[in-house]
Amino acid sequence: DTGVSQDPRHKITKRGQNVTFRCDPISEHNRLYWYRQTLGQGPEFLTYFQNEAQLEKSRLLSNRFSAERPKGSFSTLEIQRTEQGDSAMYLCASSLDISGNTIYFGEGSWLTVV
Amino acid sequence: DQQVKQNSPSLSVQEGRISILNCDYTNSMFDYFLWYKKYPAEGPTFLISISSIKDKNEDGRFTVFLNKSAKHLSLHIVPSQPGDSAVYFCAASAKGSQGNLIFGKGTKLSVKP
């Protein structure tokens, strides 16, 4: 399977715990994105990498959130001191050609904070 | 303030008929528009896109129409099939936005056999 891969697919955590999600983009894609989707809403942009450089961050990305892409390949999204409002699907996407801004999503990581 | 609006939360269509999903936008800087399809518990799947220099793009059963003066686009699915039942998201991006897509809230399409 050469699509965007995310792990874990589901995570249940207690409030206050830290969680980390991993994303492996399509292999030749140099751009990687994180989005968040809550029930009844469309995906919302969180952050974007070109290779290993984090070029844009949404105001939705509070200081409890950190994303890295250390070698320009896979990426991690960490949420510290989780809150119930963090419960959502976290979507990773990647693209190669900025022309047209077509991005390809993974299957998402569901987070439930109890 | 929502920049991309899908005003119909749901749409029900008979198999074999046309499905028309609508999307309105407010930001005149948007120059690229996309439609994604999403099944429950899965990520969105890219369907079709259109640049603002065009007014129509077709791919098999899927056609997207863009009316820039009305800031409106629509996705036509002909003929509709039960497997098309999913939530459809309209998304838009502005030139230089670096992949920051603005999504609507989605329209749930049900295609009945």
Side-chain angles (χ1 to χ4, degrees), chain A residues 9 31 33 35 37 40-43 45 48 56 91 100-103 105-107 110, chain B residues 32 34 36 38 41-44 46 49 89 93-94 97-101 103-105:
Chain A
R9 294 291 314 280
R31 296 174 183 257
Y33 313 83
Y35 279 73
Q37 184 175 17
Q41 303 294 319
F45 173 81
Y48 147 70
E56 189 173 343
L91 292 160
N101 278 343
T102 299
I103 66 175
F105 286 91
E107 295 196 336
W110 273 108
Chain B
Y32 194 71
L34 310 92
Y36 285 84
K38 187 178 184 300
E42 293 185 9
F46 171 70
S49 61
F89 290 97
S93 69
S97 63
Q98 313 272 31
N100 180 352
L101 299 181
F103 282 82
K105 292 188 176 184

Side-chain angles (χ1 to χ4, degrees), chain B residues 22-34:
Chain B
N22 293 303
C23 178
D24 297 293
Y25 62 95
T26 58
N27 189 340
S28 57
M29 299 300 291
F30 287 151
D31 66 346
Y32 194 71
F33 304 89
L34 310 92

Side-chain angles (χ1 to χ4, degrees), chain B residues 81-98:
Chain B
Q81 299 173 353
D84 296 329
S85 298
V87 178
Y88 288 78
F89 290 97
C90 171
S93 69
K95 195 172 184 180
S97 63
Q98 313 272 31

